[in-house]
Each structure stands twice: as structure tokens, then as C-alpha cells.
Amino acid sequence: MRERIASAITDRLYKNPGLIALVIVILVGLSGWQMSKLTINYNQLELISQDLPSVLATKRMFKLAGGYGNLFIVIRGKDVPHMKRVADDLTAEIKKIPEVRSATCRQDVGFLRDHLAYYIDIDDLNEAFRLMRKKIRALTREKLGMKSGDTQTDEELKKLVDKYRNVHSKFVDDEYNIDGAREMILIVIQANGIPNDLDFSKKLLSDVSSVIEQYNQGNPRGVKLKEQDGDGLVPEATITYGITGEYKITYDDSTQLKNALKPTPIVAFIGI
């Protein structure tokens, strides 16, 4: 019975080769069309049931506090006052982007200034007290017309001041997010979305890049901005900048993965 059925099907196939070829072409075309619609969803929150209490709570948190993760813009240069003005200008423009919840290039150092004594070692406090008394005596002698000849006290006091100028990566005398070498300022951006939402990340990165480009073309300070990954300054630029953070890294990784997967369907089809 099976042989008869198989023989009948085989006879029909041989008698209608054109029809069979047409069916195969249609199936291949439909398969290719469906395959082209395949996408990679990096948002794990969308891959689980949206009715779970944890998912609902997470979405409420996003509405209240914005997204998680940050986008960082690092600007580098040699002229510190110039860098600070550029950082303030860019921060003000970036805040206008709808996807941005907050942006800042400064940090609050008021508490640190008011309570700096709590961060100083007891031995250094005693040494500072001794040096200040020594300095007062030297100034008193100078007022009385006597030469003190004391230069070592000023140097020792300067060393103590420099030691506690930067506490917990914060400069007591500078509210900007500036590094120890004073050649780099960090702009911290908090967005309203999440890095795994690639459409949101793409829009955010595009808008931030547009703001920088518009500022580069029409700023009143004569600033020439150039982007560069890694360390170092671009010679023809007054300010060198770079963009990083969770939104940038996640989007770049997804783009590389998509590019790596592009040849896979072709290779699989050829193998079939």
C-alpha cells in the first residue's frame, strides 16, 4: 500500500515538474520574507509576561525615577576655563532633548567644604595647627621690621592644602566634574528610557550628536569640537570629546551583533 502511494506521488511529480518548481520558489520566497522580519529583542522586560507584579512595579519605577544607566560625554582640552564654558553650554542644550531627564557637568561640594575637617587625619590637623602658629609668628616679626627668612612653612602648608584639595574624587575648590590632571570634564546624562530599548537608545544618541554638531557649527566661542575614541587630543580641535555609557555600549554591541548575523541566512540557504 505504501509503495503504491509513493509511486503515485512520484508519477505526479514527474508529470508536473513546472508546478513543483513553482511551489518550491513560492515556499522559498515566503521563507525569505518571513526571515527578513526576524528581529532581536534586547529588552528582557518585554520578553516576560507584562501582567507580573514585578514587571508592573518596574514600569512604575521607570515612570517615577526615569530609566537606569547613564550616558557620558567626556570633553578634553588644555584651557580649563574654556572647557568649563563649553561644558555649561552643551549641558544647557542637552537638557532640552525630550529623552533626557537630567544632565549636569557639576557636582555638589557644599557638604564637603563645610565638613572638610572630618576628612583630615588628626596628625595632619596637628601639623597644620603647628605650621599656622609658625606662620603667624613669622608675619608678626615682619610687621615689627624683622626678617624671618621662613620659606619652608609656606611650602609645607601648600603640600597639606594640595593633599586635601581632592577628597573622594571631588575637588573642594571646584564644583565641576573634572579629573585630577584638570584636562577632562565629564557631562553626566540621565535619560527617561532604558539602554535595552534600542530604538530609544538610537534616538537619544542621535539627538545628543545633533546637539553637539549644531553647537560645533554655530557657537559664539569659536569652539572646534572633534570626536575621538580613546585618549589624546585631536590637533586641529580646541575641544576633543567622546561619548560612552550604558546606552552607547548597548547600542554599539547590538549593531555589531546584527552585522555579524547578516551572512548567516545566506550561508544557511546555500547549505540547504
Side-chain angles (χ1 to χ4, degrees), residues 185-252:
I185 294 179
L186 184 68
I187 301 175
V188 182
I189 302 170
Q190 183 182 13
N192 289 317
I194 58 177
N196 288 338
D197 187 344
L198 297 182
D199 291 334
F200 177 86
S201 296
K202 181 180 180 180
K203 183 71 165 57
L204 174 65
L205 292 169
S206 176
D207 289 347
V208 170
S209 297
S210 297
V211 166
I212 296 175
E213 184 61 29
Q214 291 174 7
Y215 181 81
N216 193 27
Q217 294 177 355
N219 68 85
R221 307 188 190 278
V223 180
K224 293 183 179 179
L225 291 162
K226 292 288 184 181
E227 184 176 7
Q228 175 172 296
D229 296 331
D231 298 329
L233 302 174
V234 178
E236 64 270 18
T238 59
I239 296 291
T240 302
Y241 75 93
I243 302 177
T244 186
E246 288 90 344
Y247 295 93
K248 172 73 170 173
I249 294 172
T250 303
Y251 183 75
D252 287 348

Side-chain angles (χ1 to χ4, degrees), residues 70-77 80 83-84 87-88 91 102-109 113 166-190:
N70 294 303
L71 186 67
F72 301 105
I73 301 177
V74 182
I75 63 174
R76 302 184 183 90
V80 176
M83 280 199 304
K84 290 181 177 179
D88 286 333
T91 301
S102 65
T104 182
C105 60
R106 307 187 185 204
Q107 54 188 342
D108 185 10
V109 294
R113 290 173 180 173
N166 189 329
V167 179
H168 297 311
S169 301
K170 293 183 179 181
F171 281 96
V172 179
D173 58 347
D174 197 333
E175 62 181 352
Y176 284 84
N177 295 325
I178 193 167
D179 70 323
R182 305 185 76 80
E183 295 180 351
M184 180 175 68
I185 294 179
L186 184 68
I187 301 175
V188 182
I189 302 170
Q190 183 182 13

Side-chain angles (χ1 to χ4, degrees), residues 135-147:
K135 183 64 177 179
I136 291 172
R137 288 195 296 267
L139 292 173
T140 302
R141 284 195 295 270
E142 290 179 1
K143 290 291 185 180
L144 295 175
M146 296 181 292
K147 293 183 178 180

Side-chain angles (χ1 to χ4, degrees), residues 109-126 128 132 160 164-165 167-168 172:
V109 294
F111 179 86
L112 194 59
R113 290 173 180 173
D114 296 340
H115 302 84
L116 181 60
Y118 296 126
Y119 297 90
I120 301 177
D121 293 337
I122 297 298
D123 293 340
D124 289 335
L125 281 174
N126 292 331
M132 285 189 288
L160 275 177
Y164 291 99
R165 177 167 290 169
V167 179
H168 297 311
V172 179

